[in-house]
Amino acid sequence: MEDVTARAVLHYVLDGGCRITAAGTAPLDPAGGELVLLPAATRHRISPLPAAADPPAPDGRAAPRDAPAPSGLPGSDAQPTAPTGPAGPAVRVFALDGPGPPVRLLSLRTGYDRRAVRPLVAALPRAVLLDRRRVEGAPLLRDTLRLLAAPGRRAGPGDRLLALRVFEAALALAADPPRPPDAGYPHPGIGRSVAAIETRYAEPWTVDTLAREAGMSRSSFTAAFREAVGTSPARHLTARRIREAARLLAETGLPQSAVPARVGYRSRVGFHLAFRTAYGTTPGEYRAASPRRDRRPLRRI
């Protein structure tokens, strides 16, 4: 039977800054509050930021800039401070040794079903930097990272699920670079349909009604949408609805029974199937594992 499990690694900078160099890609220099996603767990190295001018070695040659970093996670060629491997921790906080200001990172690893996100992962670089503004603008991602990095927090049985949640949220951000809804598309109608899905996901959309929103025929719309967005209109709509459902479950007190209709599903069974396909867990399990404990009922204004 084909192994459909893939692995991802993420590094979130808590203090200071560092350099992450993945095979086949340019180095990334994340600073505090920034997140680096390696969606295929590409082998990489974490090192201190290079000094402006490195002192020469005793033999007159330039001293190497990189120093091993104790990531202790699959995909890194740095030496871990403790053994890990398949049964090792999914989440850990560590300090990076080296000259300069102190550097601390939260590192996570997770497995996921490659079939569910193959097109997204294939379209991304081997290493992606999500800046502080984007991380802060994603409340579920931000709050989960803060929970995992909390001082004195102990590892628990829910760490693997939380690491998977961070990966899913980071992957969604990485696959959806910020841009104006009507910019960057080959046809202005595609921008209108993307904006409609983003802001009016709860409406009873079909491919036909989205095509009319775009002012295009169904066949032309479907082909242009796939070329511009990288997936079909139906899948993009489903992903947006399920992403909003996850936010409602994690961040609000909206009754679980009300969530499907709030995000555009007329069938609870269809919603549960779509949610489990996307997140690998049921809506109830997802809510129970959420780090948010201060949920309040969601009121309409």
Side-chain angles (χ1 to χ4, degrees):
M1 183 180 295
E2 180 191 2
D3 182 8
V4 298
T5 301
R7 293 198 175 277
V9 174
L10 304 97
H11 299 295
Y12 178 60
V13 181
L14 301 172
D15 301 303
C18 63
R19 170 158 291 184
I20 297 179
T21 307
T25 189
L28 299 175
D29 294 342
E34 296 186 326
L35 177 68
V36 172
L37 164 67
L38 297 106
T42 301
R43 197 160 190 81
H44 59 285
R45 185 179 182 85
I46 308 174
S47 58
L49 287 171
D54 293 311
D59 60 3
R61 294 178 298 176
R65 289 187 170 187
D66 287 345
S71 73
L73 291 167
S76 172
D77 63 2
Q79 296 299 315
T81 55
T84 53
V91 177
R92 67 175 301 199
V93 175
F94 69 91
L96 183 62
D97 295 329
V103 180
R104 288 193 315 127
L105 295 98
L106 169 70
S107 290
L108 309 94
R109 64 171 183 165
T110 185
Y112 61 93
D113 186 339
R114 70 176 78 246
R115 296 169 300 182
V117 294
R118 182 178 284 127
L120 291 181
V121 172
L124 292 175
R126 295 181 179 182
V128 182
L129 174 64
L130 298 174
D131 64 30
R132 185 186 185 99
R133 179 183 60 81
R134 300 201 70 197
V135 172
E136 289 293 318
L140 180 59
L141 175 61
R142 177 198 65 208
D143 291 348
T144 307
L145 288 169
R146 289 177 179 174
L147 170 75
L148 293 172
R153 180 185 179 275
R154 294 179 179 272
D159 281 5
R160 294 192 182 278
L161 178 58
L162 291 172
L164 176 60
R165 183 170 297 171
V166 169
F167 164 71
E168 291 165 342
L171 182 65
L173 278 185
D176 186 25
R179 56 182 170 181
D182 291 316
Y185 295 107
H187 190 291
I190 299 300
R192 289 196 297 273
S193 67
V194 169
I197 289 173
E198 184 65 26
T199 60
R200 296 156 53 198
Y201 47 81
E203 295 184 21
W205 294 110
T206 64
V207 175
D208 288 329
T209 57
L210 285 169
R212 286 199 292 273
E213 180 78 14
M216 304 170 69
S217 70
R218 178 190 171 104
S219 58
S220 296
F221 168 71
T222 302
F225 192 100
R226 183 181 291 275
E227 180 181 356
V229 180
T231 189
S232 68
R235 287 192 175 186
H236 191 72
L237 175 61
T238 296
R240 177 66 183 98
R241 285 173 167 171
I242 295 302
R243 192 166 73 244
E244 176 62 14
R247 187 193 70 80
L248 291 171
L249 289 166
E251 299 180 17
T252 77
L254 183 70
Q256 185 177 320
S257 60
V259 172
R262 182 65 65 91
V263 299
Y265 277 88
R266 293 347 183 216
S267 165
R268 291 186 184 180
V269 173
F271 167 73
H272 276 253
L273 288 174
F275 195 95
R276 191 176 189 97
T277 297
Y279 285 93
T281 187
T282 67
E285 292 168 341
Y286 187 92
R287 168 166 274 179
S290 171
R292 295 296 293 269
R293 301 301 181 198
D294 59 342
R295 302 187 200 96
R296 296 178 181 177
L298 185 66
R299 297 179 180 178
R300 286 189 178 275
I301 298 177

